[in-house]
Amino acid sequence: MKAFRKVTSHALALDRPDVDTDQIIPKQFLKRIERSGFGEFLFFDWRKDPGFELNRPEAKGAQILVAGRNFGCGSSREHAPWALQDYGFEAVIAPSFGDIFRQNSLKIGLLPVRLPSEQVKELMTRADAGDEITVDLEARTAGGFPFELDDFTRECLLEGLDDIALTLRDEPSLTAYESAHAAPIATNAL
Amino acid sequence: MGQTLFDRVWESHLVQRAEGQPELLYVDLHLVHEVTSPQAFEGLRVAGRRVRRPDLTLATMDHNVVTGDDTPMDELSAQQLEALAQNCAEFGVPLYETGSGREGIVHVIGPELGLTQPGMTIVCGDSHTSTHGAFGALAFGIGTSEVEHVLATQTLQQNKPRSMRIYFEGELPEGVTAKDIVLAAIGRLGVDGGVGYVIEYAGPVIEQLSMEGRLTICNMSIEAGARAGMIAPDETTFAYLEGRPGAPKGAAWEQALERWRTLPTDDDAVFDQELVIDVSGLGSQVTWGTNPGMVVPIDGVVPDPASMEDADERAATERALAYMALEPGTPIRDIEVGRVFIGSCTNSRIEDLRAAAAVVRGHHVHPSVRAMVVPGSAQVKQQAEAEGLDRIFVDAGFEWRRAGCSMCLGMNPDVLAPGERCASTSNRNFEGRQGAGGRTHLVSPAVAAATAIAGHFADARELVPA
């Protein structure tokens, strides 16, 4: 996983609620079997509108996205955070996120930051004014506002840890569970 | 304090719990399909890892498959399906590929094979994994990184979600279905009302539903933002499961029944949130906008953004109406459609097809409508054909197609053209979901069938008897 410590950048405000992952990356781009190269298709349909926020000249180079509530709802496609990260975004700030999108983002080092709506609105104003915003994971602040993230997840992100390796370190617990619990099914014996 | 069904399943699958970090949850069944798995298998290959429990993993082909002979499969889809077949062969994962007779939408084949059982934990790289909660399983969608984690470790690092119970009471009116119940619930909760929660659906209305109906309800939990939906297992659940290939047999069946009967939520259990919905006055539901919470009864009208006080809601409504090309105040029944889709993991099971066929029998699809029926699995297709449902559909002018996700998400040739309007039994009406520029209205199978015949939104009551 890509490590995340701190990013300072101008930000892009996308002030609409319930942006679903079908909009972030439409289905026709999910047929690729690679993890990379999704950035150019980010918000593919919405970008056809010249007035769309991402098409504004000042959006260029923004590494922080400030979005409305329930960002990333819908489909579980990890291609959505892949596309945002590949495009150049390092962090997304919103009042709330779709659960699976948030989890997927944390797994790849795209930092989802939850802040109260009024603080998000203020950051959108600062984004629209072209101000730089700092998201600091070590200090757990975004644009000066404190945000919550559990210690373990924060540590994984700061160090860019491989969570599969972490789980496999606990092999005795896995084996103990498996010997104490008979599997209810066998997919290879139908 | 008593435990909820969710608590019980969660607690019984904990491998590891430590202060300050997510809990490690064991996965009983991992379902895999072609779209969200190739990068996960590649990750295993790069790291030199194996699939820990291929015997708890099952793959099928559903999202990309072609459902008819009218359009060939595109090259990228073919490559993705080939990659799945190769990955399954390399890592020893059982695969029901196209043509095997057991293929189908991943959330349809799990239950029909008897692999989805009460008290299990089930995951899949697909948000509609919540479907399997209808059996009293804890089932939720994950992304590709987590797919890789499950393949390698058969576990997931998870923080325990909060719990919500939605209690449905009252008398369900004639012709109103599970789809209408869940659409109405999403309308009440909003598309983010369930974020961070696992929902248990309960009450007499749920208890009276068939397994197919319960699967429809749990399927759409994610459309309210909830990670999972669950329904307590009961005699209906056990009767559905008994004798299926994956279900326990003989003495093991009796032992399983004993265990499953202990799962339901205790009377004194406490939920983080409770909601009661009376279904007595409920009508058939039709979505008018670009998310599943934008829904009204079929007797209603397209809402007017000018009447909305919340600025965000007003803006979202205006956006949605512009996309959907609808005027405020238009009666839903006056909206004409050009396409009808009966299928998807929400509504493609045998009971859904029977309900649609009962409406269609003796009628003919409206001349300006192209209508298709896509069974959820090869076995559903076979059963429907044995019952003669295919003849009813074909005689009425419907296309009868092969199993797959089809037009629910349009990753295959079944798509809407820009501007086309569709009555769909699927689960998402997001912009472009069924094809760029396409306009989707979510409905029940019965309403989809009646709409195909009338050419505008209709329910069976208003069709002139054939």
Side-chain angles (χ1 to χ4, degrees), chain B residues 63-94:
Chain B
H63 284 62
N64 288 354
V65 301
V66 295
T67 64
D69 299 320
D70 38 7
T71 318
M73 183 176 290
D74 66 275
E75 201 178 318
L76 277 177
S77 290
Q79 281 172 15
Q80 203 167 46
L81 292 169
E82 178 56 28
L84 180 68
Q86 278 179 12
N87 286 329
C88 288
E90 180 181 342
F91 289 93
V93 172

PDB file of all heavy atoms in Angstrom, chain B residues 63-94:
ATOM      1  N   HIS B  63     -21.005 -10.897 -14.547  1.00  0.00           N
ATOM      2  CA  HIS B  63     -21.139  -9.486 -14.944  1.00  0.00           C
ATOM      3  C   HIS B  63     -21.015  -9.262 -16.453  1.00  0.00           C
ATOM      4  O   HIS B  63     -21.748  -8.477 -17.030  1.00  0.00           O
ATOM      5  CB  HIS B  63     -20.100  -8.628 -14.222  1.00  0.00           C
ATOM      6  CG  HIS B  63     -20.421  -8.359 -12.791  1.00  0.00           C
ATOM      7  ND1 HIS B  63     -20.537  -9.349 -11.846  1.00  0.00           N
ATOM      8  CD2 HIS B  63     -20.651  -7.199 -12.134  1.00  0.00           C
ATOM      9  CE1 HIS B  63     -20.832  -8.802 -10.664  1.00  0.00           C
ATOM     10  NE2 HIS B  63     -20.905  -7.496 -10.819  1.00  0.00           N
ATOM     11  N   ASN B  64     -20.049  -9.928 -17.057  1.00  0.00           N
ATOM     12  CA  ASN B  64     -19.709  -9.631 -18.461  1.00  0.00           C
ATOM     13  C   ASN B  64     -20.359 -10.554 -19.478  1.00  0.00           C
ATOM     14  O   ASN B  64     -20.244 -10.315 -20.679  1.00  0.00           O
ATOM     15  CB  ASN B  64     -18.196  -9.780 -18.673  1.00  0.00           C
ATOM     16  CG  ASN B  64     -17.417  -8.658 -18.026  1.00  0.00           C
ATOM     17  OD1 ASN B  64     -17.999  -7.707 -17.505  1.00  0.00           O
ATOM     18  ND2 ASN B  64     -16.111  -8.752 -18.048  1.00  0.00           N
ATOM     19  N   VAL B  65     -20.972 -11.633 -19.018  1.00  0.00           N
ATOM     20  CA  VAL B  65     -21.394 -12.650 -19.975  1.00  0.00           C
ATOM     21  C   VAL B  65     -22.485 -12.127 -20.900  1.00  0.00           C
ATOM     22  O   VAL B  65     -23.297 -11.294 -20.512  1.00  0.00           O
ATOM     23  CB  VAL B  65     -21.872 -13.945 -19.275  1.00  0.00           C
ATOM     24  CG1 VAL B  65     -20.773 -14.532 -18.424  1.00  0.00           C
ATOM     25  CG2 VAL B  65     -23.106 -13.683 -18.420  1.00  0.00           C
ATOM     26  N   VAL B  66     -22.484 -12.627 -22.124  1.00  0.00           N
ATOM     27  CA  VAL B  66     -23.549 -12.241 -23.057  1.00  0.00           C
ATOM     28  C   VAL B  66     -24.751 -13.144 -22.787  1.00  0.00           C
ATOM     29  O   VAL B  66     -24.605 -14.325 -22.485  1.00  0.00           O
ATOM     30  CB  VAL B  66     -23.107 -12.336 -24.535  1.00  0.00           C
ATOM     31  CG1 VAL B  66     -22.023 -11.333 -24.833  1.00  0.00           C
ATOM     32  CG2 VAL B  66     -22.641 -13.731 -24.891  1.00  0.00           C
ATOM     33  N   THR B  67     -25.931 -12.562 -22.883  1.00  0.00           N
ATOM     34  CA  THR B  67     -27.137 -13.313 -22.534  1.00  0.00           C
ATOM     35  C   THR B  67     -27.948 -13.713 -23.767  1.00  0.00           C
ATOM     36  O   THR B  67     -29.023 -14.282 -23.642  1.00  0.00           O
ATOM     37  CB  THR B  67     -28.035 -12.493 -21.593  1.00  0.00           C
ATOM     38  OG1 THR B  67     -28.487 -11.329 -22.305  1.00  0.00           O
ATOM     39  CG2 THR B  67     -27.279 -12.053 -20.355  1.00  0.00           C
ATOM     40  N   GLY B  68     -27.425 -13.386 -24.942  1.00  0.00           N
ATOM     41  CA  GLY B  68     -28.142 -13.752 -26.165  1.00  0.00           C
ATOM     42  C   GLY B  68     -27.165 -13.979 -27.296  1.00  0.00           C
ATOM     43  O   GLY B  68     -25.948 -13.854 -27.123  1.00  0.00           O
ATOM     44  N   ASP B  69     -27.689 -14.318 -28.443  1.00  0.00           N
ATOM     45  CA  ASP B  69     -26.829 -14.585 -29.591  1.00  0.00           C
ATOM     46  C   ASP B  69     -26.773 -13.384 -30.545  1.00  0.00           C
ATOM     47  O   ASP B  69     -26.172 -13.452 -31.600  1.00  0.00           O
ATOM     48  CB  ASP B  69     -27.344 -15.815 -30.357  1.00  0.00           C
ATOM     49  CG  ASP B  69     -27.329 -17.045 -29.456  1.00  0.00           C
ATOM     50  OD1 ASP B  69     -26.355 -17.189 -28.693  1.00  0.00           O
ATOM     51  OD2 ASP B  69     -28.299 -17.826 -29.506  1.00  0.00           O
ATOM     52  N   ASP B  70     -27.439 -12.270 -30.135  1.00  0.00           N
ATOM     53  CA  ASP B  70     -27.536 -11.127 -31.042  1.00  0.00           C
ATOM     54  C   ASP B  70     -26.256 -10.300 -31.120  1.00  0.00           C
ATOM     55  O   ASP B  70     -25.958  -9.701 -32.132  1.00  0.00           O
ATOM     56  CB  ASP B  70     -28.733 -10.237 -30.674  1.00  0.00           C
ATOM     57  CG  ASP B  70     -28.938 -10.127 -29.155  1.00  0.00           C
ATOM     58  OD1 ASP B  70     -28.084 -10.620 -28.390  1.00  0.00           O
ATOM     59  OD2 ASP B  70     -29.957  -9.548 -28.753  1.00  0.00           O
ATOM     60  N   THR B  71     -25.477 -10.280 -30.038  1.00  0.00           N
ATOM     61  CA  THR B  71     -24.247  -9.478 -30.046  1.00  0.00           C
ATOM     62  C   THR B  71     -23.108 -10.311 -29.472  1.00  0.00           C
ATOM     63  O   THR B  71     -23.273 -10.929 -28.424  1.00  0.00           O
ATOM     64  CB  THR B  71     -24.408  -8.219 -29.162  1.00  0.00           C
ATOM     65  OG1 THR B  71     -25.695  -7.667 -29.403  1.00  0.00           O
ATOM     66  CG2 THR B  71     -23.344  -7.190 -29.468  1.00  0.00           C
ATOM     67  N   PRO B  72     -21.964 -10.324 -30.123  1.00  0.00           N
ATOM     68  CA  PRO B  72     -20.846 -11.104 -29.586  1.00  0.00           C
ATOM     69  C   PRO B  72     -20.215 -10.405 -28.377  1.00  0.00           C
ATOM     70  O   PRO B  72     -20.415  -9.212 -28.159  1.00  0.00           O
ATOM     71  CB  PRO B  72     -19.857 -11.151 -30.752  1.00  0.00           C
ATOM     72  CG  PRO B  72     -20.163  -9.943 -31.572  1.00  0.00           C
ATOM     73  CD  PRO B  72     -21.620  -9.639 -31.376  1.00  0.00           C
ATOM     74  N   MET B  73     -19.471 -11.175 -27.610  1.00  0.00           N
ATOM     75  CA  MET B  73     -18.754 -10.618 -26.467  1.00  0.00           C
ATOM     76  C   MET B  73     -17.583  -9.761 -26.947  1.00  0.00           C
ATOM     77  O   MET B  73     -16.901 -10.116 -27.890  1.00  0.00           O
ATOM     78  CB  MET B  73     -18.239 -11.766 -25.602  1.00  0.00           C
ATOM     79  CG  MET B  73     -17.547 -11.305 -24.342  1.00  0.00           C
ATOM     80  SD  MET B  73     -17.060 -12.700 -23.312  1.00  0.00           S
ATOM     81  CE  MET B  73     -18.653 -13.276 -22.765  1.00  0.00           C
ATOM     82  N   ASP B  74     -17.360  -8.621 -26.292  1.00  0.00           N
ATOM     83  CA  ASP B  74     -16.216  -7.799 -26.668  1.00  0.00           C
ATOM     84  C   ASP B  74     -14.924  -8.434 -26.161  1.00  0.00           C
ATOM     85  O   ASP B  74     -14.946  -9.280 -25.261  1.00  0.00           O
ATOM     86  CB  ASP B  74     -16.373  -6.376 -26.129  1.00  0.00           C
ATOM     87  CG  ASP B  74     -16.326  -6.331 -24.624  1.00  0.00           C
ATOM     88  OD1 ASP B  74     -17.373  -6.542 -23.977  1.00  0.00           O
ATOM     89  OD2 ASP B  74     -15.226  -6.127 -24.074  1.00  0.00           O
ATOM     90  N   GLU B  75     -13.819  -7.988 -26.739  1.00  0.00           N
ATOM     91  CA  GLU B  75     -12.540  -8.641 -26.488  1.00  0.00           C
ATOM     92  C   GLU B  75     -12.079  -8.515 -25.033  1.00  0.00           C
ATOM     93  O   GLU B  75     -11.587  -9.472 -24.437  1.00  0.00           O
ATOM     94  CB  GLU B  75     -11.488  -8.013 -27.417  1.00  0.00           C
ATOM     95  CG  GLU B  75     -10.280  -8.874 -27.632  1.00  0.00           C
ATOM     96  CD  GLU B  75      -9.306  -8.209 -28.593  1.00  0.00           C
ATOM     97  OE1 GLU B  75      -9.764  -7.642 -29.612  1.00  0.00           O
ATOM     98  OE2 GLU B  75      -8.109  -8.232 -28.297  1.00  0.00           O
ATOM     99  N   LEU B  76     -12.280  -7.330 -24.441  1.00  0.00           N
ATOM    100  CA  LEU B  76     -11.846  -7.134 -23.049  1.00  0.00           C
ATOM    101  C   LEU B  76     -12.626  -8.027 -22.084  1.00  0.00           C
ATOM    102  O   LEU B  76     -12.069  -8.566 -21.130  1.00  0.00           O
ATOM    103  CB  LEU B  76     -12.013  -5.665 -22.642  1.00  0.00           C
ATOM    104  CG  LEU B  76     -10.894  -4.714 -23.042  1.00  0.00           C
ATOM    105  CD1 LEU B  76     -11.250  -3.285 -22.635  1.00  0.00           C
ATOM    106  CD2 LEU B  76      -9.563  -5.119 -22.427  1.00  0.00           C
ATOM    107  N   SER B  77     -13.932  -8.168 -22.347  1.00  0.00           N
ATOM    108  CA  SER B  77     -14.744  -9.046 -21.499  1.00  0.00           C
ATOM    109  C   SER B  77     -14.244 -10.483 -21.605  1.00  0.00           C
ATOM    110  O   SER B  77     -14.130 -11.191 -20.593  1.00  0.00           O
ATOM    111  CB  SER B  77     -16.216  -9.001 -21.914  1.00  0.00           C
ATOM    112  OG  SER B  77     -16.779  -7.768 -21.587  1.00  0.00           O
ATOM    113  N   ALA B  78     -13.969 -10.901 -22.832  1.00  0.00           N
ATOM    114  CA  ALA B  78     -13.487 -12.266 -23.049  1.00  0.00           C
ATOM    115  C   ALA B  78     -12.175 -12.489 -22.302  1.00  0.00           C
ATOM    116  O   ALA B  78     -11.970 -13.531 -21.670  1.00  0.00           O
ATOM    117  CB  ALA B  78     -13.314 -12.530 -24.542  1.00  0.00           C
ATOM    118  N   GLN B  79     -11.309 -11.477 -22.348  1.00  0.00           N
ATOM    119  CA  GLN B  79     -10.018 -11.583 -21.634  1.00  0.00           C
ATOM    120  C   GLN B  79     -10.227 -11.696 -20.125  1.00  0.00           C
ATOM    121  O   GLN B  79      -9.537 -12.437 -19.435  1.00  0.00           O
ATOM    122  CB  GLN B  79      -9.152 -10.357 -21.919  1.00  0.00           C
ATOM    123  CG  GLN B  79      -8.451 -10.415 -23.259  1.00  0.00           C
ATOM    124  CD  GLN B  79      -7.764  -9.099 -23.603  1.00  0.00           C
ATOM    125  OE1 GLN B  79      -7.573  -8.246 -22.738  1.00  0.00           O
ATOM    126  NE2 GLN B  79      -7.409  -8.935 -24.857  1.00  0.00           N
ATOM    127  N   GLN B  80     -11.215 -10.926 -19.621  1.00  0.00           N
ATOM    128  CA  GLN B  80     -11.458 -10.943 -18.179  1.00  0.00           C
ATOM    129  C   GLN B  80     -12.007 -12.310 -17.740  1.00  0.00           C
ATOM    130  O   GLN B  80     -11.636 -12.823 -16.690  1.00  0.00           O
ATOM    131  CB  GLN B  80     -12.439  -9.824 -17.800  1.00  0.00           C
ATOM    132  CG  GLN B  80     -12.322  -9.404 -16.355  1.00  0.00           C
ATOM    133  CD  GLN B  80     -13.058  -8.110 -16.058  1.00  0.00           C
ATOM    134  OE1 GLN B  80     -14.194  -7.922 -16.467  1.00  0.00           O
ATOM    135  NE2 GLN B  80     -12.418  -7.215 -15.337  1.00  0.00           N
ATOM    136  N   LEU B  81     -12.878 -12.884 -18.562  1.00  0.00           N
ATOM    137  CA  LEU B  81     -13.419 -14.205 -18.247  1.00  0.00           C
ATOM    138  C   LEU B  81     -12.328 -15.274 -18.337  1.00  0.00           C
ATOM    139  O   LEU B  81     -12.259 -16.177 -17.493  1.00  0.00           O
ATOM    140  CB  LEU B  81     -14.582 -14.533 -19.189  1.00  0.00           C
ATOM    141  CG  LEU B  81     -15.831 -13.672 -18.969  1.00  0.00           C
ATOM    142  CD1 LEU B  81     -16.839 -13.870 -20.098  1.00  0.00           C
ATOM    143  CD2 LEU B  81     -16.485 -13.982 -17.637  1.00  0.00           C
ATOM    144  N   GLU B  82     -11.479 -15.131 -19.328  1.00  0.00           N
ATOM    145  CA  GLU B  82     -10.363 -16.061 -19.492  1.00  0.00           C
ATOM    146  C   GLU B  82      -9.413 -15.957 -18.288  1.00  0.00           C
ATOM    147  O   GLU B  82      -8.919 -16.967 -17.776  1.00  0.00           O
ATOM    148  CB  GLU B  82      -9.636 -15.751 -20.813  1.00  0.00           C
ATOM    149  CG  GLU B  82      -8.417 -16.619 -21.106  1.00  0.00           C
ATOM    150  CD  GLU B  82      -8.696 -18.111 -21.098  1.00  0.00           C
ATOM    151  OE1 GLU B  82      -9.849 -18.502 -21.399  1.00  0.00           O
ATOM    152  OE2 GLU B  82      -7.772 -18.883 -20.760  1.00  0.00           O
ATOM    153  N   ALA B  83      -9.187 -14.716 -17.843  1.00  0.00           N
ATOM    154  CA  ALA B  83      -8.316 -14.511 -16.670  1.00  0.00           C
ATOM    155  C   ALA B  83      -8.900 -15.213 -15.448  1.00  0.00           C
ATOM    156  O   ALA B  83      -8.171 -15.841 -14.672  1.00  0.00           O
ATOM    157  CB  ALA B  83      -8.143 -13.014 -16.386  1.00  0.00           C
ATOM    158  N   LEU B  84     -10.228 -15.133 -15.285  1.00  0.00           N
ATOM    159  CA  LEU B  84     -10.861 -15.807 -14.139  1.00  0.00           C
ATOM    160  C   LEU B  84     -10.655 -17.321 -14.234  1.00  0.00           C
ATOM    161  O   LEU B  84     -10.301 -17.970 -13.241  1.00  0.00           O
ATOM    162  CB  LEU B  84     -12.355 -15.476 -14.074  1.00  0.00           C
ATOM    163  CG  LEU B  84     -13.101 -16.142 -12.907  1.00  0.00           C
ATOM    164  CD1 LEU B  84     -12.652 -15.570 -11.560  1.00  0.00           C
ATOM    165  CD2 LEU B  84     -14.613 -15.994 -13.051  1.00  0.00           C
ATOM    166  N   ALA B  85     -10.885 -17.860 -15.425  1.00  0.00           N
ATOM    167  CA  ALA B  85     -10.728 -19.306 -15.596  1.00  0.00           C
ATOM    168  C   ALA B  85      -9.299 -19.727 -15.284  1.00  0.00           C
ATOM    169  O   ALA B  85      -9.060 -20.720 -14.578  1.00  0.00           O
ATOM    170  CB  ALA B  85     -11.117 -19.703 -17.020  1.00  0.00           C
ATOM    171  N   GLN B  86      -8.334 -18.947 -15.766  1.00  0.00           N
ATOM    172  CA  GLN B  86      -6.919 -19.275 -15.518  1.00  0.00           C
ATOM    173  C   GLN B  86      -6.576 -19.164 -14.039  1.00  0.00           C
ATOM    174  O   GLN B  86      -5.881 -20.008 -13.479  1.00  0.00           O
ATOM    175  CB  GLN B  86      -6.017 -18.342 -16.329  1.00  0.00           C
ATOM    176  CG  GLN B  86      -5.864 -18.795 -17.771  1.00  0.00           C
ATOM    177  CD  GLN B  86      -4.983 -17.839 -18.571  1.00  0.00           C
ATOM    178  OE1 GLN B  86      -4.326 -16.972 -18.009  1.00  0.00           O
ATOM    179  NE2 GLN B  86      -4.991 -18.002 -19.887  1.00  0.00           N
ATOM    180  N   ASN B  87      -7.075 -18.079 -13.409  1.00  0.00           N
ATOM    181  CA  ASN B  87      -6.784 -17.886 -11.980  1.00  0.00           C
ATOM    182  C   ASN B  87      -7.366 -19.006 -11.138  1.00  0.00           C
ATOM    183  O   ASN B  87      -6.737 -19.491 -10.206  1.00  0.00           O
ATOM    184  CB  ASN B  87      -7.317 -16.529 -11.504  1.00  0.00           C
ATOM    185  CG  ASN B  87      -6.470 -15.377 -12.002  1.00  0.00           C
ATOM    186  OD1 ASN B  87      -5.259 -15.512 -12.182  1.00  0.00           O
ATOM    187  ND2 ASN B  87      -7.096 -14.231 -12.252  1.00  0.00           N
ATOM    188  N   CYS B  88      -8.594 -19.406 -11.468  1.00  0.00           N
ATOM    189  CA  CYS B  88      -9.237 -20.474 -10.698  1.00  0.00           C
ATOM    190  C   CYS B  88      -8.474 -21.787 -10.867  1.00  0.00           C
ATOM    191  O   CYS B  88      -8.288 -22.534  -9.904  1.00  0.00           O
ATOM    192  CB  CYS B  88     -10.695 -20.636 -11.114  1.00  0.00           C
ATOM    193  SG  CYS B  88     -11.724 -19.277 -10.536  1.00  0.00           S
ATOM    194  N   ALA B  89      -8.014 -22.045 -12.104  1.00  0.00           N
ATOM    195  CA  ALA B  89      -7.247 -23.268 -12.351  1.00  0.00           C
ATOM    196  C   ALA B  89      -5.927 -23.225 -11.573  1.00  0.00           C
ATOM    197  O   ALA B  89      -5.544 -24.183 -10.903  1.00  0.00           O
ATOM    198  CB  ALA B  89      -6.997 -23.429 -13.849  1.00  0.00           C
ATOM    199  N   GLU B  90      -5.258 -22.075 -11.645  1.00  0.00           N
ATOM    200  CA  GLU B  90      -3.942 -21.953 -10.995  1.00  0.00           C
ATOM    201  C   GLU B  90      -4.025 -22.064  -9.473  1.00  0.00           C
ATOM    202  O   GLU B  90      -3.168 -22.676  -8.838  1.00  0.00           O
ATOM    203  CB  GLU B  90      -3.311 -20.603 -11.386  1.00  0.00           C
ATOM    204  CG  GLU B  90      -1.944 -20.368 -10.763  1.00  0.00           C
ATOM    205  CD  GLU B  90      -1.364 -19.010 -11.155  1.00  0.00           C
ATOM    206  OE1 GLU B  90      -1.836 -18.399 -12.150  1.00  0.00           O
ATOM    207  OE2 GLU B  90      -0.448 -18.556 -10.448  1.00  0.00           O
ATOM    208  N   PHE B  91      -5.080 -21.469  -8.891  1.00  0.00           N
ATOM    209  CA  PHE B  91      -5.164 -21.422  -7.427  1.00  0.00           C
ATOM    210  C   PHE B  91      -6.126 -22.468  -6.848  1.00  0.00           C
ATOM    211  O   PHE B  91      -6.372 -22.494  -5.639  1.00  0.00           O
ATOM    212  CB  PHE B  91      -5.573 -20.019  -6.967  1.00  0.00           C
ATOM    213  CG  PHE B  91      -4.492 -18.987  -7.161  1.00  0.00           C
ATOM    214  CD1 PHE B  91      -4.439 -18.222  -8.318  1.00  0.00           C
ATOM    215  CD2 PHE B  91      -3.504 -18.797  -6.200  1.00  0.00           C
ATOM    216  CE1 PHE B  91      -3.439 -17.274  -8.501  1.00  0.00           C
ATOM    217  CE2 PHE B  91      -2.501 -17.856  -6.376  1.00  0.00           C
ATOM    218  CZ  PHE B  91      -2.458 -17.089  -7.538  1.00  0.00           C
ATOM    219  N   GLY B  92      -6.689 -23.309  -7.717  1.00  0.00           N
ATOM    220  CA  GLY B  92      -7.523 -24.413  -7.224  1.00  0.00           C
ATOM    221  C   GLY B  92      -8.909 -24.008  -6.755  1.00  0.00           C
ATOM    222  O   GLY B  92      -9.522 -24.702  -5.941  1.00  0.00           O
ATOM    223  N   VAL B  93      -9.426 -22.891  -7.262  1.00  0.00           N
ATOM    224  CA  VAL B  93     -10.747 -22.414  -6.839  1.00  0.00           C
ATOM    225  C   VAL B  93     -11.830 -23.016  -7.734  1.00  0.00           C
ATOM    226  O   VAL B  93     -11.750 -22.910  -8.955  1.00  0.00           O
ATOM    227  CB  VAL B  93     -10.806 -20.863  -6.914  1.00  0.00           C
ATOM    228  CG1 VAL B  93     -12.222 -20.358  -6.667  1.00  0.00           C
ATOM    229  CG2 VAL B  93      -9.827 -20.244  -5.929  1.00  0.00           C
ATOM    230  N   PRO B  94     -12.853 -23.649  -7.142  1.00  0.00           N
ATOM    231  CA  PRO B  94     -13.951 -24.177  -7.967  1.00  0.00           C
ATOM    232  C   PRO B  94     -14.631 -23.055  -8.756  1.00  0.00           C
ATOM    233  O   PRO B  94     -14.870 -21.978  -8.213  1.00  0.00           O
ATOM    234  CB  PRO B  94     -14.921 -24.767  -6.931  1.00  0.00           C
ATOM    235  CG  PRO B  94     -14.121 -24.959  -5.695  1.00  0.00           C
ATOM    236  CD  PRO B  94     -13.046 -23.914  -5.715  1.00  0.00           C
TER     237      PRO B  94
END
